[in-house]
């Protein structure tokens, strides 16, 4: 992502980064915003908002490949429909980067639009690891649905199953590609299970009539294998020898679904992370906003971000049991007092 931003325009030239909300979420999950701004970026703008124009600067767009984002790019370089004259231009030129493959329909729409003359290239593909959101260093969000359990298991959501499985498989593929591995796909199949085709007639009649569990993990594994085969076939036909299957590290990917463990959603975790989310209202799931009183008695707002990059103690302790965390934090505080003479004096006062 940094390479895409820094090399899109001439070295040393200032630029603007424009992103849609899903792409911005992906970027912010793997990069801190100051890392982006350090690439001679004046500002980062959300494409759905009313943006300040920078007609003398190039814009680097980072977008998901969807019709709405393409339409907004075209609208940034609007021309008069009668005369063909430029009516409005937000930026000098556009450099487009997408988090996934752009469909032929959207590509044709972009090429035939009046904005095409201002686009440096019609398609700049980002790497294949830009489709998933990293929640933690080993946790990735792959589902496109806010209610994945309902979308995959409910008899009233059969129309969502294929969409969610395909999208999740796409995002899992991006994780596999980013890890540089060549996996053998293994999956869990419940003892009482059936493919969706066999379940559909009984499920459509309502709850309580299905006697088997849908083979979600099996369906997901098949989709991942299919997408892997397509990816390897494509890479084998390119000059990129580092991504060919024979050069990648062998590994095993195990696909599980909720049927392997029905009890965890009903239980409460006693980890430090669970305690924090229970007791504190976090903005965006990881930022704690509080009021801090300065030495002169003035109150001011402050933020603490619970992230792996900024808080090593959070990274170390978040998955520990609460009792272990309490003792460890007490020991760390005592060590801090012991090693810091000034804090010892303040404590005595």
């Amino acid at each position: 992502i940094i390479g895409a931003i820094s090399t899109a325009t001439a070295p040393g030239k200032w630029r603007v980064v424009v992103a849609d909300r899903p792409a911005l979420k992906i970027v912010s999950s793997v990069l801190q915003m100051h890392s982006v701004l350090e690439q001679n970026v004046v500002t980062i703008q959300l494409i759905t908002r009313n943006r300040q124009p920078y007609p003398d600067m190039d814009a680097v767009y980072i977008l998901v490949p969807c019709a709405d984002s393409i339409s907004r790019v075209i609208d940034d370089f609007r021309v008069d429909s009668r005369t063909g004259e430029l009516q409005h231009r937000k930026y000098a030129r556009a450099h487009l980067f997408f988090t996934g493959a752009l469909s032929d329909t959207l590509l044709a729409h972009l090429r035939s639009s009046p904005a095409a003359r201002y686009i440096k290239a019609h398609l700049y593909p980002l790497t294949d690891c830009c489709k998933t959101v990293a929640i933690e260093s080993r946790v990735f969000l792959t589902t496109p649905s806010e209610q994945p359990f309902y979308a995959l298991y409910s008899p009233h959501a059969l129309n969502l199953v294929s969409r969610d499985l395909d999208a999740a498989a796409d995002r899992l593929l991006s994780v596999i590609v980013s890890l540089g591995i060549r996996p053998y796909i293994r999956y869990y199949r419940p003892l009482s299970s059936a493919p969706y085709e066999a379940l559909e007639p009984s499920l459509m009649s309502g709850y309580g009539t299905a006697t088997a569990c849908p083979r979600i993990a099996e369906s997901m594994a098949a989709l991942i294998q299919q997408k892997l085969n397509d990816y390897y076939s494509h890479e084998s036909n390119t000059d990129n020898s580092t991504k060919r299957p024979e050069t990648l590290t062998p590994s095993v990917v195990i696909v599980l679904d909720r049927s392997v463990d029905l009890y965890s959603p009903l239980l409460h975790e006693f980890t430090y992370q669970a305690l924090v989310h229970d007791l504190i209202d976090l903005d965006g799931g990881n930022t704690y906003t509080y009021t801090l009183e300065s030495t002169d008695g003035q109150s001011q707002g402050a933020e603490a971000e619970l992230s792996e990059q900024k808080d090593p103690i959070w990274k170390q302790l978040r998955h520990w049991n609460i009792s272990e965390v309490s003792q460890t934090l007490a020991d760390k505080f005592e060590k801090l007092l012991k090693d810091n003479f000034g804090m010892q004096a303040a404590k005595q006062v």
Side-chain angles (χ1 to χ4, degrees):
I1 294 173
I2 290 294
I5 296 171
S6 61
T7 60
T9 61
K13 190 174 181 181
W14 291 97
R15 66 209 77 176
V16 179
V17 169
V18 183
D20 53 26
R21 196 172 294 278
L24 187 61
K25 190 174 182 181
I26 292 173
V27 172
S28 61
S29 74
V30 295
L31 287 173
Q32 296 181 22
M33 289 301 104
H34 71 80
S35 299
V36 176
L37 295 174
E38 286 174 353
Q39 311 305 313
N40 283 13
V41 172
V42 174
T43 184
I44 302 171
Q45 298 179 324
L46 195 62
I47 198 171
T48 52
R49 291 184 177 173
N50 187 18
R51 288 162 281 137
Q52 176 184 341
Y54 291 87
D56 298 326
M57 295 184 188
D58 285 10
V60 179
Y61 289 82
I62 302 178
L63 309 167
V64 295
C66 67
D68 180 66
S69 293
I70 295 297
S71 296
R72 291 180 186 276
V73 171
I74 294 173
D75 194 52
D76 285 347
F77 302 88
R78 196 183 313 130
V79 298
D80 191 296
S81 58
R82 294 172 298 174
T83 64
E85 296 293 327
L86 181 66
Q87 188 178 23
H88 169 78
R89 184 180 67 179
K90 273 191 166 66
Y91 314 103
R93 292 187 304 178
H95 303 261
L96 304 185
F97 293 86
F98 296 97
T99 60
L102 194 64
S103 69
D104 293 340
T105 302
L106 291 178
L107 183 56
H109 181 41
L110 190 61
R111 282 178 169 164
S112 61
S113 72
R117 72 182 77 168
Y118 301 102
I119 297 173
K120 178 66 177 176
H122 289 298
L123 177 62
Y124 274 119
L126 281 174
T127 60
D128 293 279
C129 58
C130 292
K131 297 179 183 178
T132 188
V133 178
I135 305 300
E136 298 178 8
S137 58
R138 297 186 180 184
V139 180
F140 305 92
L141 182 64
T142 62
T143 175
S145 174
E146 294 183 359
Q147 297 179 313
F149 189 82
Y150 172 82
L152 294 176
Y153 286 96
S154 173
H156 301 295
L158 292 176
N159 59 318
L160 301 177
V161 172
S162 296
R163 182 206 67 178
D164 278 25
L165 285 177
D166 188 73
D170 239 352
R171 297 174 187 186
L172 284 172
L173 173 66
S174 71
V175 175
I176 293 171
V177 171
S178 66
L179 293 174
I181 59 177
R182 185 182 79 251
Y184 297 95
I185 309 296
R186 301 291 182 264
Y187 59 87
Y188 169 74
R189 177 191 287 180
L191 291 177
S192 177
S193 64
Y196 275 104
E197 295 79 9
L199 286 173
E200 188 166 351
S202 60
L203 288 174
M204 290 300 289
S205 61
Y207 286 102
T209 59
T211 58
C213 178
R215 296 176 183 173
I216 292 177
E218 182 177 354
S219 300
M220 177 70 72
L223 282 170
I224 296 172
Q225 188 64 65
Q226 176 187 336
K227 293 178 183 294
L228 270 174
N229 293 342
D230 294 342
Y231 175 79
Y232 292 149
S233 176
H234 174 268
E235 292 300 322
S236 297
N237 295 325
T238 66
D239 295 330
N240 191 354
S241 59
T242 60
K243 289 187 177 181
R244 292 179 180 174
E246 59 270 18
T247 65
L248 302 176
T249 305
S251 60
V252 176
V253 169
I254 302 175
V255 183
L256 307 175
D257 61 62
R258 177 46 57 197
S259 63
V260 77
D261 176 17
L262 299 175
Y263 301 105
S264 291
L266 306 177
L267 302 177
H268 193 288
E269 290 190 27
F270 290 94
T271 62
Y272 182 34
Q273 189 176 53
L275 174 70
V276 168
H277 283 277
D278 278 351
L279 302 181
I280 300 176
D281 186 18
L282 299 177
D283 295 334
N286 64 349
T287 303
Y288 174 51
T289 304
Y290 60 99
T291 302
L292 184 66
E293 186 172 323
S294 60
T295 54
D296 59 358
Q298 298 293 323
S299 297
Q300 57 184 16
E303 289 185 349
E305 184 177 346
L306 301 177
S307 69
E308 296 183 3
Q309 294 82 9
K310 296 184 178 180
D311 193 338
I313 293 180
W314 170 256
K315 180 180 179 180
Q316 176 192 0
L317 303 180
R318 61 189 170 187
H319 298 151
W320 290 21
N321 187 276
I322 297 172
S323 59
E324 296 176 302
V325 172
S326 299
Q327 184 59 51
T328 301
L329 288 178
D331 294 342
K332 284 181 177 291
F333 183 69
E334 289 299 324
K335 185 177 185 303
L336 182 64
L337 289 178
K338 183 179 179 180
D339 296 342
N340 192 311
F341 179 77
M343 292 187 67
Q344 291 183 32
K347 183 180 180 182
Q348 293 174 359
V349 172

